[in-house]
Amino acid sequence: MTDKSSNAQSSNAMWGGRFAAGPDAIMEAINASIGFDQRMAAQDIAGSRAHAAMLAATGIVSDSDAEAMREGLLTVLSEIEAGSFEFSTALEDIHMNVEARLKEIIGEPAGRLHTARSRNDQVATDFKLWVRDQIDAAIAGIEALIAALLEQAEAGADWVMPGFTHLQTAQPVTWGHHMMAYVEMLGRDRSRFSDARARMNESPLGAAALAGTSFPIDREMTAKALGFDRPAANSLDAVSDRDFALEFLAASSICAMHLSRFAEELVIWSSAQFRFVTLSDRFSTGSSIMPQKKNPDAAELIRAKIGRIFGANVALMTVMKGLPLAYSKDMQEDKEQVFDAADNLMLALAAMEGMVRDMSANRESLEAAAGSGFSTATDLADWLVRTLNMPFRDAHHVTGSLVAMAESRGCDLPDLSLEDMQSVHGAITGDVFGVLGVQNSVASRTSYGGTAPLRVREQIARWKEVLK
């Protein structure tokens, strides 16, 4: 027969390892957030200092108490920044850790700091300030990458290369035009982050637990002190809103997807089969057994980051989807994935900027590939329409016949003779050869947004002005 002691040991073993002490240890571990929310220390202290100043300005606390709080909070911040602050899981979160240390420093006035606020509006404010800082960092990272792409585009505004659909040669484009495609993508990312920042810039501070407060606080004052445009208009929404974090993750996911697409191209382009670009040694690694290899590891890792960032977006959406108003403890799970996504986005942006600045485009390889795969077939069809007034569907058929002829002979369209072309359609003249070269092809694409070097340089100039 099993005794009670044996049952207790068996039960503790089920909790396993560090939780063998029992339910109290489990509850402390699942309840505490200080292991990750200490990253918001600077934002927490900024919010508390603004709150203390407002409490004094409205007569809720004395000027001397508010000054003691504000100075003491700076001391706490300096300890955290110096790495000498001792965080306690027993105090659960960054808010209680800071307040406890403040009491040790200034004594009784520290107890007045939490007047007219709750941890609910406090954490919403801290988190929003932190995400706002990350948005600013993301915009700066995007602009740095755009600047690097503009340098590449300007250097190769008239370098021809193949443009692809289905990863098959489609039409010639320029290197500059291809670089500028990513500038446009990143420009939309920049816009999304800017839009999200403008929309989120309302202060939750003063919403208290969920219903506001009976104290005569000045929410406009604290909002202004923290750089918000205005206080949030509804206290229930203020403490339960995490749209700002979701928008940050959504914008991050799209941006990471763009980085991943470019990373995929760099992986392909740097291969021995393409040789379109040479990546620097700073962003490549060798093989442990194959000395000839130079692996585009940075690009491959950027390509993988989308999984973590998109996963964070799905995770937080899942946390929030079933929560009634206002605050629920589920919302403690809102930060770790956002922290991780922000870290990985900033790293991916910095790595991509470094790769773009360091990489060398191989002009000869690009140009050789630009003329392959009958890349000027569309130019031929367009010439038939413009010059012979042929319906495009008929021109498409004639061009297809000429492509088949060139393919059977193992040559490209410009290598066919005029007699060969006239055997398919007798009205073709020697002028057709003026559109078949890849240089002629790209130069002719002068429509707005086209690949003609003239248009590419116009877009480069426009973006330089945007970045100013």
Side-chain angles (χ1 to χ4, degrees):
M1 185 173 177
T2 306
D3 60 21
K4 291 182 180 180
S5 174
S6 174
N7 280 333
Q9 289 175 358
S10 174
S11 180
N12 283 345
M14 290 177 66
W15 298 324
R18 58 186 288 222
F19 299 130
D24 290 346
I26 294 174
M27 187 57 198
E28 180 176 302
I30 199 171
N31 194 51
S33 60
I34 189 59
F36 52 86
D37 70 12
Q38 61 185 260
R39 291 187 62 163
M40 302 190 302
Q43 290 78 18
D44 187 73
I45 288 169
S48 290
R49 295 187 79 240
H51 186 67
M54 182 275 296
L55 291 177
T58 54
I60 297 172
V61 302
S62 68
D63 289 342
S64 60
D65 280 353
E67 184 62 21
M69 293 178 211
R70 286 169 56 80
E71 290 301 313
L73 286 165
L74 287 179
T75 301
V76 175
L77 180 61
S78 67
E79 292 176 354
I80 292 172
E81 290 176 340
S84 60
F85 190 96
E86 294 186 11
F87 293 101
S88 168
T89 56
L91 292 171
E92 295 184 17
D93 55 34
I94 185 61
H95 325 299
M96 297 303 292
N97 271 263
V98 168
E99 189 173 325
R101 178 60 182 140
L102 182 64
K103 186 173 183 180
E104 292 174 352
I105 295 170
I106 69 170
E108 187 260 350
R112 295 190 172 89
L113 177 60
H114 210 53
T115 306
R117 75 174 182 185
S118 161
R119 277 193 291 178
N120 292 354
D121 63 336
Q122 188 179 0
V123 70
T125 303
D126 293 358
F127 195 23
K128 188 171 277 194
L129 289 171
W130 192 91
V131 170
R132 193 177 69 184
D133 288 344
Q134 300 310 300
I135 287 177
D136 291 342
I139 291 172
I142 288 168
E143 289 178 345
L145 177 52
I146 287 175
L149 287 164
L150 290 176
E151 289 181 10
Q152 286 282 350
E154 194 162 31
D158 57 358
W159 297 3
V160 292
M161 67 174 289
F164 298 94
T165 60
H166 309 281
L167 203 55
Q168 299 184 56
T169 300
Q171 294 176 309
V173 296
T174 58
W175 172 258
H177 194 55
H178 202 112
M179 294 299 101
M180 292 303 294
Y182 284 102
V183 169
E184 291 296 327
M185 292 185 208
L186 290 162
R188 293 192 296 274
D189 292 326
R190 178 176 176 266
S191 176
R192 268 183 284 272
F193 280 117
S194 296
D195 288 348
R197 192 192 195 284
R199 195 160 27 254
M200 68 174 281
N201 210 32
E202 297 181 343
S203 174
L205 194 57
L210 76 161
T213 178
S214 58
F215 288 95
I217 61 173
D218 185 345
R219 294 190 63 206
E220 294 283 355
M221 179 181 174
T222 50
K224 182 177 180 181
L226 295 171
F228 290 111
D229 296 328
R230 66 193 68 84
N234 183 283
S235 59
L236 282 168
D237 177 56
V239 298
S240 61
D241 167 46
R242 293 299 183 270
D243 288 1
F244 62 90
L246 287 166
E247 283 199 66
F248 171 72
L249 291 176
S252 297
S253 295
I254 297 172
C255 183
M257 177 270 292
H258 290 150
L259 297 178
S260 181
R261 293 183 72 180
F262 194 19
E264 169 71 1
E265 295 208 303
L266 294 180
V267 170
I268 293 170
W269 289 352
S270 62
S271 68
Q273 289 73 26
F274 275 74
R275 299 186 186 277
F276 283 3
V277 299
T278 301
L279 300 178
S280 75
D281 291 344
R282 295 200 311 155
F283 293 97
S284 307
T285 64
S287 167
S288 60
I289 64 170
M290 294 171 283
Q292 84 282 7
K293 293 198 70 183
K294 185 176 181 180
N295 300 323
D297 282 9
E300 292 170 353
L301 289 166
I302 290 171
R303 188 172 58 184
K305 294 297 184 187
I306 180 64
R308 294 176 68 157
I309 296 170
F310 185 70
N313 191 21
V314 173
L316 183 54
M317 194 76 76
T318 305
V319 167
M320 297 301 299
K321 73 172 183 62
L323 299 187
L325 295 179
Y327 181 85
S328 297
K329 191 68 170 178
D330 311 49
M331 293 166 72
Q332 183 169 292
E333 294 296 312
D334 61 357
K335 296 173 195 67
E336 286 180 279
Q337 51 263 40
V338 177
F339 293 162
D340 184 75
D343 289 346
N344 281 283
L345 178 66
M346 305 312 163
L347 182 57
L349 283 167
M352 185 60 83
E353 183 205 347
M355 278 195 297
V356 170
R357 289 196 184 279
D358 284 5
M359 74 180 180
S360 299
N362 302 324
R363 186 175 184 179
E364 294 78 12
S365 296
L366 291 168
E367 188 164 355
S372 66
F374 311 105
S375 64
T376 56
T378 306
D379 297 278
L380 173 56
D382 288 346
W383 183 88
L384 293 171
V385 172
R386 278 196 316 270
T387 307
L388 303 184
N389 199 28
M390 188 181 295
F392 184 80
R393 288 301 168 200
D394 293 345
H396 188 282
H397 178 74
V398 170
T399 301
S401 298
L402 289 170
V403 167
M405 179 186 292
E407 191 170 31
S408 69
R409 296 183 184 182
C411 67
D412 206 346
L413 285 172
D415 301 318
L416 294 176
S417 68
L418 179 58
E419 290 75 18
D420 291 332
M421 293 191 181
Q422 288 176 338
S423 71
V424 174
H425 196 283
I428 295 175
T429 68
D431 291 344
V432 72
F433 292 100
V435 303
L436 292 182
V438 292
Q439 296 288 355
N440 293 330
S441 174
V442 298
S444 72
R445 307 286 172 178
T446 56
S447 58
Y448 181 81
T451 191
L454 172 68
R455 294 291 175 247
V456 171
R457 292 189 175 101
E458 287 174 352
Q459 293 302 322
I460 292 169
R462 179 177 70 86
W463 269 103
K464 284 184 175 180
E465 285 298 314
V466 169
L467 292 186
K468 283 182 182 179

